[in-house]
């Protein structure tokens, strides 16, 4: 199983193709392809390449799925005997990405995700009143 270790948002992530993960918020639109150039380690099934500090030319491509918010973290300050309280909440923003390709420094594809299948919803067919009245009239004619 091939994987890479990338650094983004001050954190390091071990990623492999078609993996979905949440990282610090990126300034990109949903559906765009994002390239991570700070690759610290590449592992193919046969070889391992370690960067010092990073591997120049190696990239990891990902598709931005969504920008989401984390759960609410409450901050509560109370100063006892002073009748002083302060309550505050914070929701950290994250980007949800799916890794599509891992490329070596030569530009050779080490690992690639299978086709991303998006769920399509069929549009609802709304019957108008005239069609239902016509259908009822046809049923009455057939019964006679």
């Amino acid at each position: 199983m091939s994987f890479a270790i990338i650094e983004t948002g001050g954190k390091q992530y071990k990623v492999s193709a078609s993996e979905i993960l949440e990282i610090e918020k990126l300034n990109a639109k949903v559906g765009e392809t994002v390239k991570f150039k700070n690759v610290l380690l590449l592992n193919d099934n046969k070889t391992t390449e370690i960067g010092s500090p990073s591997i120049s030319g190696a990239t990891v491509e990902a598709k931005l799925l969504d920008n989401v918010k984390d759960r609410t973290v409450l901050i509560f300050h109370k100063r006892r005997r002073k009748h002083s309280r302060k309550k505050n909440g914070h929701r950290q923003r994250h980007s949800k990405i799916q890794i599509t390709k891992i490329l070596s420094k030569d530009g050779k594809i080490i690992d690639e995700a299978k086709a991303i299948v998006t769920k399509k919803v069929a549009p609802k067919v709304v019957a108008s009143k005239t069609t239902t009245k016509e259908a009822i009239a046809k049923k009455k004619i057939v019964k006679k």
Side-chain angles (χ1 to χ4, degrees), residues 39-52:
V39 179
L40 306 175
L41 181 134
L42 281 175
N43 183 18
D44 198 356
N45 292 333
K46 301 167 191 142
T47 60
T48 301
E49 191 173 346
I50 301 171
S52 59

Side-chain angles (χ1 to χ4, degrees), residues 8-53:
T8 180
K11 299 178 184 78
Q12 296 177 3
Y13 299 94
K14 178 183 175 184
V15 297
S16 57
S18 71
E19 182 179 357
I20 296 174
L21 64 138
E22 281 189 12
I23 60 172
E24 293 291 319
K25 186 177 181 303
L26 300 172
N27 291 328
K29 294 180 183 175
V30 175
E32 280 187 11
T33 301
V34 183
K35 292 185 180 184
F36 299 103
K37 296 184 177 167
N38 199 4
V39 179
L40 306 175
L41 181 134
L42 281 175
N43 183 18
D44 198 356
N45 292 333
K46 301 167 191 142
T47 60
T48 301
E49 191 173 346
I50 301 171
S52 59

Side-chain angles (χ1 to χ4, degrees), residues 127-142:
S128 64
K129 293 180 182 179
T130 57
T131 57
T132 55
K133 287 180 182 178
E134 291 172 1
I136 293 170
K138 287 181 182 179
K139 284 182 183 178
K140 287 181 181 178
I141 293 170
V142 172

Side-chain angles (χ1 to χ4, degrees), residues 64-81:
L64 184 65
L65 299 176
D66 199 11
N67 287 322
V68 294
K69 284 186 176 181
D70 202 1
R71 60 186 170 82
T72 304
V73 177
L74 292 177
I75 299 102
F76 184 74
H77 296 285
K78 180 179 178 185
R79 292 167 192 87
R80 61 188 187 151
R81 298 184 302 273

Side-chain angles (χ1 to χ4, degrees), residues 112-125:
E112 188 172 15
K114 295 173 181 70
I116 301 168
V117 178
T118 57
K119 187 177 179 182
K120 292 185 180 179
V121 180
K124 284 188 175 181
V125 178

